[in-house]
């Protein structure tokens, strides 16, 4: 049995990942700070719901402990929890900058580290998938906090891949392009912002969450055993066009 933990499982890409992993036969632990949403996804996929804020080290530790209590081990973790700033008025607020980095970077680190400590103790490797963005390498207007955070996630994945390779733990970063989820609903609903986001996407449309989940699920599977430290854009060709 494969035991997989998915953060941000209450919505969007995390929920799609939980569904796909469960359909593949994994036991899935659904972690989100939104209690009702994570319960809904967990019920949907027959998984274990855990309410936790990924910026809270004790809560993250407790989530991994709950996983081990329920299933005995952890094989894979997909860190999908993340936030974007939607209000232009907030974009230069230092507290907002800190919060975006705390959730996207520190939150990914805390979850990856808590899972890796357990994987190291198990002694037979493991797989960590981080969710960066096409904005890990390209910044659009108004994205300082988000782009810095996603650049941080990219380098976090590379650094942890190097550090944990001796333990057989792989760490990879998926870079979604614009994806049709509640996070991007505001931007995609605003004609000007939608044009900015989709302009230059060769496939000419946003991704469906399930299209991102497919790649996360691959990197979280034993089939990807020799892939580590990679950054894999899933962006409809946006970065290729430049
Ligand atoms: P979403 O907003 O639909 O889902 C994010 C989930 O994370 C929500 O359920 C939310 O409750 C949870 N969450 C947020 N902060 C949390 C915290 N501190 N602790 C625990 N859970 C928390 O967003 P979406 O689109 O599914 O995003 C998932 C990831 O994909 C994020 O890291 C996002 O930055 C990334 N991404 C999304 C893109 C898009 O266009 N939607 C494009 C590129 C990357």
């Amino acid at each position: 049995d494969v035991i997989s933990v998915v953060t941000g499982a209450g919505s969007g890409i995390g929920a799609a990942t939980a569904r796909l992993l469960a359909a593949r036969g994994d036991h899935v632990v659904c972690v989100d700070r939104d209690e009702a949403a994570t319960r809904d996804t967990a019920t949907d996929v027959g998984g274990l719901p855990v309410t936790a804020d990924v910026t809270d080290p004790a809560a993250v530790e407790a989530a991994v402990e709950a996983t081990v209590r329920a299933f005995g081990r952890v094989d894979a973790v997909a860190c999908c929890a993340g936030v974007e700033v939607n209000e232009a008025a907030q974009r230069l607020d230092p507290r907002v900058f800190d919060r975006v980095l705390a959730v996207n970077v520190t939150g990914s680190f805390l979850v990856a580290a808590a899972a890796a400590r357990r994987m190291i103790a198990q002694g037979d490797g493991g797989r960590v998938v981080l969710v960066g963005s096409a904005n890990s390498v390209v910044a659009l207007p108004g994205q300082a906090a988000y782009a810095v955070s996603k650049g941080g996630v990219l380098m976090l994945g590379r650094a942890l891949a190097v550090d944990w390779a001796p333990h057989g733990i792989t760490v990879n970063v998926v870079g979604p392009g614009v994806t049709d989820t509640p996070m991007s609903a505001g931007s995609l609903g605003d004609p000007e912002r939608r044009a900015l986001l989709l302009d230059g996407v060769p496939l000419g449309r946003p991704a469906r969450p399930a299209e991102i989940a497919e790649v996360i699920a691959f990197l979280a599977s034993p089939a990807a055993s020799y892939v580590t430290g990679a950054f894999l854009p899933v962006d409809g060709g946006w970065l290729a066009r430049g």
Side-chain angles (χ1 to χ4, degrees):
D1 286 7
V2 176
I3 316 304
S4 296
V5 176
V6 179
T7 73
S11 176
I13 291 168
T17 300
R19 272 188 216 105
L20 192 59
L21 292 175
R24 190 174 82 180
D26 292 14
H27 292 292
V28 179
V29 178
C30 299
V31 180
D32 204 288
R33 72 174 169 192
D34 182 332
E35 183 175 0
T38 198
R39 205 184 326 109
D40 285 352
T41 304
T43 302
D44 197 22
V45 308
L48 175 72
V50 175
T51 307
D53 187 315
V54 295
T55 64
D56 177 349
V60 168
E61 202 56 52
V64 171
E65 277 165 20
T67 303
V68 173
R69 252 197 326 277
F71 301 113
R73 55 181 286 121
V74 182
D75 295 295
V77 60
C79 301
C80 303
V83 289
E84 157 74 303
V85 190
N86 289 318
E87 294 303 318
Q90 294 181 8
R91 288 200 175 115
L92 292 176
D93 180 335
R95 284 161 307 184
V96 171
F97 189 89
D98 274 355
R99 179 69 187 165
V100 172
L101 263 72
V103 176
N104 295 359
V105 183
T106 310
S108 297
F109 169 72
L110 291 173
V111 171
R117 272 194 296 277
R118 184 68 208 173
M119 291 167 183
I120 290 168
Q122 289 163 190
D124 56 356
R127 297 170 296 280
V128 175
V129 184
L130 304 182
V131 178
S133 168
N135 300 123
S136 292
V137 291
V138 172
L140 291 176
Q143 278 197 326
Y146 187 71
V148 168
S149 78
K150 291 301 180 176
V153 170
L154 169 56
M155 193 49 76
L156 179 67
R158 289 178 173 164
L160 297 180
V162 171
D163 284 351
W164 296 343
H167 301 287
I169 299 169
T170 64
V171 187
N172 292 290
V173 182
V174 171
V178 60
T179 306
D180 202 354
T181 71
M183 178 185 281
S184 54
S187 303
L188 286 173
D190 167 0
E192 214 172 286
R193 191 87 187 153
R194 184 184 178 90
L196 174 74
L197 289 172
L198 290 182
D199 179 43
V201 177
L203 288 181
R205 62 171 177 84
R208 293 184 294 276
E211 293 177 304
I212 310 300
E214 285 287 351
V215 179
I216 296 172
F218 165 64
L219 292 170
S221 79
S225 52
Y226 202 63
V227 185
T228 197
F231 172 60
L232 184 35
V234 190
D235 65 350
W238 187 65
L239 290 173
R241 188 169 138 172

